[in-house]
Amino acid sequence: MVVRIGERDLAVEGDRAWQATVPLNVARAWPIARNYAVRLAFVDPDAGTERVETVMLPPGSLGSRTEIASLIISAR
């Protein structure tokens, strides 16, 4: 399974409960949708399928005024 934001593949760890570590400057370049949401694409290259999920980000979490140590995004 490939996890992708925009056109960028994320290096993920884990199986069904995966996580990714992304530098803040990379996350700030993500295409953020209306209402501060980001679209994650889950691509299965073997099956040729793709599923897209939208996850909400905390408002201002990627702004320049707040420095954060980590951000956990959960898709449901």
Side-chain angles (χ1 to χ4, degrees):
M1 185 71 64
V2 176
V3 180
R4 185 176 291 152
I5 293 181
E7 297 300 316
R8 176 180 225 127
D9 293 351
L10 295 180
V12 297
E13 299 172 2
D15 191 21
R16 291 182 56 83
W18 56 267
Q19 68 178 27
T21 301
V22 179
L24 192 54
N25 63 334
V26 171
R28 285 182 175 145
W30 287 344
I32 304 298
R34 231 182 298 164
N35 299 324
Y36 227 72
V38 65
R39 292 173 49 120
L40 295 170
F42 302 94
V43 181
D44 184 343
D46 295 333
T49 60
E50 179 176 312
R51 186 184 82 217
V52 176
E53 297 283 337
T54 301
V55 295
M56 301 303 295
L57 298 175
S61 59
L62 300 179
S64 60
R65 293 184 184 186
T66 305
E67 289 299 324
I68 58 175
S70 65
L71 174 65
I72 299 172
I73 303 171
S74 300
R76 301 196 193 273

